[in-house]
Amino acid sequence: MLSEAELEKELYNYAVSLLARREHAERELRQKLFRKQSNEKFDGCDSFEGAVSSVLERLKGLGFLSDARYAQMLLRSRYARGYGPERVRQELQQGGLDNELIALSFEEFEEDWFESALRAREKRFGLGILDQDIKLKAKQVRFLSSRGFSFDQVNYAIDAKEDDGW
């Protein structure tokens, strides 16, 4: 059985190794640390929950763990992959971030979601004019909506013409 100091050291090293690969939200990292509790090495450790909380506080104090930085990373990543703001907002909420932090992250994010919707449409379908093909237009609307773009963003992408600079 591990002492409390050894337990914290093990959890800290594991958490740092996870954070070295990518940013994590506090809730996500907490869940991953608690999964380690089922490891037989940690059987019988009474203070596991306290050790996890202590490790998380230490990581935040050192600046290794930041929900704000995680939110910005996720925003940039999902934007680059062609996802819309509603889908990203939902992922952030599922990651355990509060609505105030999410709103602040979106305010600080300087990219254009309308252009992102247009690029996602172009990447998937090309940029042909849709005046005659109602089924293709409906398919593109469904695709963009499922990616998390708003009604206005979808309309912007659908109504773009080839002579609009694309």
Side-chain angles (χ1 to χ4, degrees):
M1 186 161 116
L2 296 173
S3 71
E4 192 169 329
E6 291 171 326
L7 173 63
E8 280 191 34
K9 183 178 179 183
E10 289 273 339
L11 291 174
Y12 177 81
N13 290 337
Y14 178 64
V16 168
S17 73
L18 290 173
L19 291 169
R21 293 182 199 121
R22 71 168 178 86
E23 292 287 342
H24 285 71
E26 181 179 352
R27 179 172 146 191
E28 177 185 26
L29 189 57
R30 179 181 298 276
Q31 289 171 342
K32 287 183 178 185
L33 290 175
F34 271 110
R35 281 190 219 132
K36 295 288 276 183
Q37 189 173 17
S38 63
N39 187 329
E40 54 196 54
K41 181 194 289 189
F42 301 118
D43 270 351
C45 292
D46 299 330
S47 59
F48 197 87
E49 188 171 335
V52 168
S53 295
S54 175
V55 166
L56 293 175
E57 289 304 315
R58 183 174 171 201
L59 291 169
K60 285 192 289 188
L62 292 170
F64 294 168
L65 180 63
S66 167
D67 280 348
R69 202 170 52 233
Y70 170 77
Q72 286 300 312
M73 179 275 308
L74 194 73
L75 268 167
R76 284 189 311 273
S77 169
R78 297 307 185 257
Y79 177 85
R81 291 174 61 190
Y83 290 102
E86 297 310 312
R87 166 100 179 243
V88 177
R89 182 174 280 110
Q90 184 180 30
E91 281 189 55
L92 290 170
Q93 288 171 337
Q94 289 173 347
L97 278 65
D98 64 18
N99 290 333
E100 189 175 308
L101 178 60
I102 293 171
L104 181 63
S105 298
F106 272 94
E107 285 175 23
E108 293 174 355
F109 193 68
E110 297 178 356
E111 302 297 335
D112 186 354
W113 293 104
F114 288 90
E115 293 300 318
S116 179
L118 184 59
R119 280 193 305 277
R121 174 186 167 225
E122 179 185 22
K123 184 177 179 181
R124 177 75 179 251
F125 299 102
L127 203 56
I129 298 175
L130 296 173
D131 292 337
Q132 301 299 319
D133 197 345
I134 300 297
K135 286 184 180 180
L136 181 59
K137 184 175 183 177
K139 185 176 183 177
Q140 292 182 20
V141 167
R142 283 191 308 273
F143 169 75
L144 291 171
S145 296
S146 73
R147 298 287 280 209
F149 291 103
S150 71
F151 180 75
D152 291 338
Q153 293 160 349
V154 169
N155 281 337
Y156 175 84
I158 296 296
D159 293 339
K161 305 283 190 239
E162 288 185 61
D163 57 306
D164 286 345
W166 280 88

